Amino acid sequence: DTAVSQTPKYLVTQMGNDKSIKCEQNLGHDTMYWYKQDSKKFLKIMFSYNNKELIINETVPNRFSPKSPDKAHLNLHINSLELGDSAVYFCASSLLDRWNYGYTFGSGTRLTVV
Amino acid sequence: AQTVTQSQPEMSVQEAETVTLSCTYDTSESDYYLFWYKQPPSRQMILVIRQEAYKQQNATENRFSVNFQKAAKSFSLKISDSQLGDAAMYFCAYEGGGNKLVFGAGTILRVKS
């Protein structure tokens, strides 16, 4: 059973296109996240949702819009894709008591913009 | 803002030997958690070990242990009896209650047979 699943795993698209990445968790967690890993492997948080409510919105271009239809799903929509958006995007989830149970990450979506 | 520094971009270890990966962090908070994550070539982020700042005792998980020095803001990972499967990128991460992990730049660990 996959705990945090992301689709697609790979995404190749042209500049200017709009694309979405989907994330679902079956752990009963109430908080979900999007992290970006750039070409130098540096990981940084983008967004966090708790029970469908946005709680963290780091300095991210407005072209990125997260949507959480329910607490088990968190999608990431990206408009007008640019070359610099090429990265691996990780979805993660946690309980409120994340310090005891930690975070669970998905396997990532490698986005390549050409 | 909190920062996490991993000063070793790359480390090598002989199979069955012991290796230590370094991590330092900067924070003004007194309560926080520290984590080590492993990222093999498969890209999956795997939790290796976590440490609660208020606990004096260093965390251990089988062959993995940490040396947590709160005053020095240091959190190193020791891998004993290294195995080929330990080869991966290792990330140190900090969480101070803000619902977000702050990661270091990572250390690539190579295991030689």
Side-chain angles (χ1 to χ4, degrees), chain B residues 6 26-27 34 45 47 60 62 68 84 102 107 110 113:
Chain B
Q6 293 179 248
D26 187 27
T27 183
L34 297 161
M45 293 290 287
L47 177 64
T60 61
N62 301 314
F68 173 50
L84 293 176
V102 177
T107 297
R110 304 193 192 279
S113 59

Side-chain angles (χ1 to χ4, degrees), chain A residues 9-10 31 33 35 37 41-43 45 55-56 58 88 90 98-101 103 105-108 110, chain B residues 31-33 35 37 39 42-45 47 50 52 89 91 95-101 103-105:
Chain A
K9 292 193 186 311
Y10 298 93
T31 307
Y33 313 80
Y35 282 82
Q37 186 173 40
K41 302 289 189 181
F42 189 69
L43 276 151
I45 192 166
I55 56 173
I56 291 177
E58 293 288 293
V88 179
F90 284 96
R98 59 198 176 277
W99 290 4
N100 279 319
Y101 297 97
Y103 295 75
F105 283 81
S107 56
R110 180 177 293 281
Chain B
D31 287 335
Y32 50 87
Y33 274 63
F35 304 84
Y37 278 90
Q39 186 178 40
S42 67
R43 225 169 49 205
Q44 184 72 45
M45 293 290 287
L47 177 64
R50 60 176 170 262
E52 301 154 60
M89 187 108 171
F91 291 95
E95 210 250 81
N99 265 98
K100 65 178 182 181
L101 289 167
F103 285 91

Side-chain angles (χ1 to χ4, degrees), chain B residues 16-35:
Chain B
E17 298 292 309
T18 296
V19 65
T20 298
L21 308 184
S22 301
C23 174
T24 59
Y25 57 95
D26 187 27
T27 183
S28 57
E29 296 174 348
S30 57
D31 287 335
Y32 50 87
Y33 274 63
L34 297 161
F35 304 84

Side-chain angles (χ1 to χ4, degrees), chain B residues 39-111:
Chain B
Q39 186 178 40
S42 67
R43 225 169 49 205
Q44 184 72 45
M45 293 290 287
I46 302 165
L47 177 64
V48 175
I49 199 165
R50 60 176 170 262
Q51 174 77 42
E52 301 154 60
Y54 66 86
K55 285 191 176 177
Q56 301 269 358
Q57 190 172 5
N58 289 325
T60 61
E61 287 287 344
N62 301 314
R63 298 182 295 108
F64 299 87
S65 62
V66 299
N67 183 3
F68 173 50
Q69 302 288 328
K70 190 172 184 180
K73 295 180 183 173
S74 170
F75 181 60
S76 60
L77 174 70
K78 185 171 88 171
I79 306 174
S80 304
D81 185 26
S82 296
Q83 300 174 0
L84 293 176
D86 295 333
M89 187 108 171
Y90 286 80
F91 291 95
C92 179
Y94 166 100
E95 210 250 81
N99 265 98
K100 65 178 182 181
L101 289 167
V102 177
F103 285 91
T107 297
I108 297 171
L109 177 65
R110 304 193 192 279
V111 181

